[in-house]
Amino acid sequence: MSVPATRSAASPGRVAEPLVDGWGRTIRDVRVSVTDVCNLRCTYCLPESGIAWLPKDERLDDDETVRLVRVLAGLGVSTVRVTGGEPLARAHLPALIERLDAVPGIEEISMTTNGVLLHRHADALVAAGVRRFNVSIDSVHQRRFAELTRRDVLPAVLKGLAALDPYRDRVQIKLNAVSLRGITEHEAVDLVGFARERDLQLRFIEVMPLDADGAWTEDHVLTGDEVREIIHARWPVEALPRERSSTARVWRFLDGGGHVGFVSSVTASFCGDCDRIRLTADGQLRTCLFAHDETDLRAALRGGASDDELVALIRGAVAAKQWGHEIHKPGFRPPARPMSAIGG
């Protein structure tokens, strides 16, 4: 569809051609990293010290972030997940989220957070429009949590979850736990028990080759199937149909105790119907978590690009979106950036 010369391709109310990649997948979701800074040093993600964060002037500001989301919404993107680093390390985040929630075409704002600062901001985040929270928690035992994150802050995370309790009728809350061989075998049952007591869905995520140290090997991966067997031995589960484009395969507890999910990115990828793209804190468009190529939207923005020019850049990048991560294929290379710099 050609774009009338008098209107921008991203003008509010305009119905644009869907944003479709070269494999026929329609893009509906954008993961927006608002900062690369994190207040934890999880062993599978970041080194304990020596981290150089992006200078402030290299990060997108609020106006730039909102503009790019508005352009993407004009192309049919309808859901935004706010990520980091730790997104709550960004100052005045609720104000930015309120603006993103007001963008025409955006139907849902969600957030992935480690929960450490959540108790300070829960009220403002819900008021701003966040409707789904994914809170990371790899252990419910304080000593083990501190060993994994190199920070003794589990009480703060629990306080953050408690701060969301008054909003349970308005927001969806899920827990994320990274599956690590040698650790999660001993943590899984207690984590699930914690989630069941609070009527929360827990999702186990296979550890991926996205650590800043580059030390990941497949030997570190405790697979989703292995974790499920551990859980099934305590609380029998049965599979539910997978929702299209979902990252998680969800299982139901046969005793009626809720659900548990498995994001098996390494052993059972969900690339075939992926509908996601990512915007890094420094304005790079990534069409896959494991992509090696990025499209510099920040340079285009600061160079005076029109919305139509931004649309052309975005469409070109999405058209070249890779089919999947191909972790198991010979020659696989992890991306140069760690997860904290890409956005979770």
Side-chain angles (χ1 to χ4, degrees), residues 188-199:
V189 168
D190 288 345
L191 280 165
V192 172
F194 176 88
R196 281 166 55 95
E197 288 172 4
R198 291 157 179 78
D199 192 27

Side-chain angles (χ1 to χ4, degrees), residues 36 54 209-212 280-286 289 291-292 294 298 334-343:
D36 61 322
L54 286 167
L210 293 165
D211 56 310
T280 67
D282 57 347
Q284 307 303 305
L285 179 67
R286 297 178 63 90
L289 181 58
H292 292 281
E294 299 179 332
R298 183 190 64 192
R337 297 209 207 201
M339 175 68 90
S340 63
I342 294 173

Side-chain angles (χ1 to χ4, degrees), residues 297-313:
L297 299 183
R298 183 190 64 192
L301 280 172
R302 297 181 182 180
S306 68
D307 284 358
D308 288 336
E309 290 170 329
L310 291 172
V311 166
L313 283 173

Side-chain angles (χ1 to χ4, degrees), residues 42-123:
C42 297
T43 57
Y44 52 80
C45 186
L46 290 171
E48 189 167 6
S49 61
I51 307 163
W53 306 123
L54 286 167
K56 184 177 179 180
D57 63 355
E58 292 186 15
R59 301 183 194 133
L60 295 181
D61 64 25
D62 286 8
D63 289 343
E64 292 169 330
T65 303
V66 172
R67 184 181 173 197
L68 288 177
V69 169
R70 183 176 291 115
V71 169
L72 289 167
L75 298 174
V77 171
S78 59
T79 61
V80 175
R81 179 180 295 276
V82 177
T83 72
E86 168 48 43
L88 289 172
R90 177 166 175 149
H92 313 299
L93 182 61
L96 172 59
I97 288 175
E98 186 172 15
R99 293 180 64 186
L100 295 177
D101 190 52
V103 170
I106 296 302
E107 298 174 359
E108 182 182 82
I109 304 287
S110 61
M111 173 184 288
T112 297
T113 173
N114 62 32
V116 174
L117 300 174
L118 188 54
H119 65 281
R120 301 181 189 175
H121 303 285
D123 296 341

Side-chain angles (χ1 to χ4, degrees), residues 171-241:
V171 303
Q172 182 183 79
I173 307 162
K174 293 181 180 178
L175 305 178
N176 288 345
V178 174
S179 295
L180 299 160
R181 188 170 298 283
I183 294 175
T184 308
E185 298 97 322
H186 313 294
E187 302 296 319
V189 168
D190 288 345
L191 280 165
V192 172
F194 176 88
R196 281 166 55 95
E197 288 172 4
R198 291 157 179 78
D199 192 27
L200 297 173
Q201 184 186 130
L202 172 66
R203 305 191 310 173
F204 290 93
I205 303 172
E206 292 178 350
V207 64
M208 293 177 280
L210 293 165
D211 56 310
D213 292 332
W216 179 94
T217 71
E218 285 195 52
D219 292 339
H220 295 138
V221 180
L222 184 69
T223 70
D225 287 345
E226 289 174 299
V227 178
R228 190 175 65 253
E229 289 176 4
I230 293 169
I231 295 166
H232 185 78
R234 176 65 178 83
W235 296 286
V237 293
E238 67 176 4
L240 296 177

